[in-house]
Amino acid sequence: MSSAATTIHETRPLPAAAGLGDTVPRYTSYPTAPHFHPGVDAMTVRGWMDALEGDDEISLYLHIPYCDRLCWFCACHTKQTRHYAPVAAFLRSLHKEIETVGGLASGRVRAVHFGGGSPTMLKPDDILMLGKALRDRFDFLEDASLSVEIDPNDMDEGRLDAFAAIGMTRASLGVQDFDPKVQRAINREQSFALTRSVVDAVRARGVTSVNLDLLYGLPHQSCESVAATVAQALTLAPDRLALFGYAHVPWFKKHQTMIDEAWLPDSAARLAQSQLAARLIVDAGYDALGLDHFAKPRDALAIAARSGKIRRNFQGYTEDHCETLIGLGPSSISRFRQGYAQNIVATGEYEKVVNSGRLAIARGVEFSLDDLARSWLIERLMCSFTFSATDLVERFGAVGQTLLCEASRLAIGGAGQLLRLDGENFVVPEESRPLVRTVAAKFDKYLGNGTGRHSVAV
């Protein structure tokens, strides 16, 4: 396993200056979403789309903003509905947006990601119609991938067949925790048997990559319960696992107030849970990738990590190297060479705008050279825990040199606790890697400006 793709997998003490309770961004983008502004509008993004070339490779993200139940731990932009009529109305608008964007954006589709919400609550015919609409409006590469976030409770034979028919190549199943007490506390009851049946079903339909999402830091979790969940998950032989820390942000998602904070583990317990789970997964033969992902050594993500080509975007760690990611659906975020753009969050307002044939852009940010340099540095830290001083300066010139001075001051001033100079590389020491978000925050010039609030670092 490459040292650049190694996260902490033994219980080690953190640096004395470490702040387990620090609140910092997750850095799936830089600048981060709280710093987007309405100065980037539909006209701006139309220009960015016009600049795309026919041979550019692009990714598509479809955000389905509905669930048939609301999990109390969730921090996604979604709403619960027991009726399908609002979903059907939204899908008509989504088809209109696909038509509009497909007519503006050139490029060839390398990857598609269905997220939410719960894309698996869609009816089979609607899944098939979406797949057809995408291929009618966009030019797909022959080997394009299609990943789907799956709630096992939604799945039946019809939905499984429909996603297989539109080309699903990767399935990502939400597990969180298999302990019934934890599941009841987060309103997400889901048996191991059900999860196993869905894993078997997607593999039977030719899906070659299965990911499981696990959480630590949930109410009533302990090291013992986390270890038990990891052991059960490993029996399913997933190709990838993601191990996320629960982000308790009740000021942002009011339904999280349903979780009694007295049930939550403290920062030290969260760290112990994450380190134990990581060690068990690595001991089972998986490569540790970045902060919180794991993959079998032959998986494409592990291969990308070993070659230094792993990336990070709004879906987490990825081997996707497309410079352009186009988000479809309310609240979805796009990335172009020129900057980020986010769609209107409110579903009703989104529908009004896209039904009129307009782009539903609410806000965004245009990159400066300084943004690009800091984004590259932060992504390298988040992906590989290291960056090359030579690469930084060669890529970004004087701006890179300024950042190099900032990195040197951090390494010297902190006595190498959070960042250390090793030859011409700056490296996050292994014992500090759980705090890599805190390290990245040292290079975030926007942090502290504005009113954005964030989850704890570990």
Side-chain angles (χ1 to χ4, degrees), residues 77-280:
H77 287 298
T78 187
K79 60 181 70 176
Q80 180 184 14
T81 180
R82 297 185 181 276
H83 305 286
Y84 200 73
V87 181
F90 156 72
L91 287 173
R92 289 192 290 272
S93 300
L94 182 59
H95 277 272
K96 182 64 177 177
E97 186 183 21
I98 290 170
E99 178 183 342
T100 299
V101 173
L104 293 172
S106 299
R108 309 185 71 192
V109 175
R110 166 61 65 189
V112 179
H113 186 95
F114 281 76
S118 295
T120 48
M121 75 172 292
L122 301 182
K123 293 180 177 179
D125 284 349
D126 287 329
I127 295 168
L128 294 171
M129 289 174 64
L130 268 182
K132 183 178 186 302
L134 291 171
R135 292 184 182 273
D136 284 348
R137 295 294 177 178
F138 294 94
D139 182 16
F140 274 62
L141 291 162
E142 186 175 348
D143 58 347
S145 64
L146 191 151
S147 58
V148 181
E149 294 178 11
I150 290 178
D151 179 351
N153 290 276
D154 289 333
M155 298 308 288
D156 55 27
E157 295 297 314
R159 289 180 171 89
L160 287 163
D161 288 342
F163 278 117
I166 67 170
M168 178 171 59
T169 59
R170 177 173 298 125
S172 182
L173 281 69
V175 169
Q176 326 319 336
D177 190 287
F178 285 122
D179 187 317
K181 184 178 182 180
V182 175
Q183 290 183 352
R184 287 191 295 271
I186 61 174
N187 197 39
R188 177 63 181 249
E189 296 188 54
Q190 176 182 316
S191 70
F192 173 74
L194 173 62
T195 305
R196 180 178 58 196
S197 70
V198 174
V199 170
D200 291 343
V202 297
R203 284 178 169 154
R205 287 165 173 80
V207 172
T208 57
S209 181
V210 173
N211 174 77
L212 301 182
D213 284 345
L214 309 180
L215 285 179
Y216 64 87
L218 290 171
H220 303 306
Q221 274 186 323
S222 64
C223 282
E224 292 75 18
S225 70
V226 169
T229 287
V230 170
Q232 287 178 287
L234 290 172
T235 67
L236 302 177
D239 303 278
R240 301 179 183 180
L241 293 110
L243 177 65
F244 299 121
Y246 165 56
H248 190 61
V249 288
W251 61 86
F252 177 56
K253 291 299 177 182
K254 296 300 182 185
H255 56 261
Q256 289 191 351
T257 60
M258 300 296 292
I259 294 176
D260 189 334
E261 292 186 357
W263 299 343
L264 296 174
D266 62 20
S267 295
R270 286 172 62 97
L271 175 63
Q273 291 172 13
S274 69
Q275 289 183 322
L276 174 60
R279 186 178 72 246
L280 293 172

Side-chain angles (χ1 to χ4, degrees), residues 40-77:
V40 170
D41 56 15
M43 183 176 297
T44 305
V45 174
R46 181 180 285 266
W48 294 352
M49 289 184 179
D50 286 343
L52 290 169
E53 302 288 344
D55 58 353
D56 287 342
E57 293 191 1
I58 63 175
S59 295
L60 302 175
Y61 171 76
L62 280 74
H63 184 76
I64 310 300
Y66 288 100
C67 298
D68 46 17
R69 63 171 175 172
L70 194 58
C71 303
W72 295 336
F73 69 87
C74 182
C76 298
H77 287 298

Side-chain angles (χ1 to χ4, degrees), residues 24-35:
V24 288
R26 289 183 176 268
Y27 291 111
T28 53
S29 73
Y30 182 85
T32 56
H35 303 289

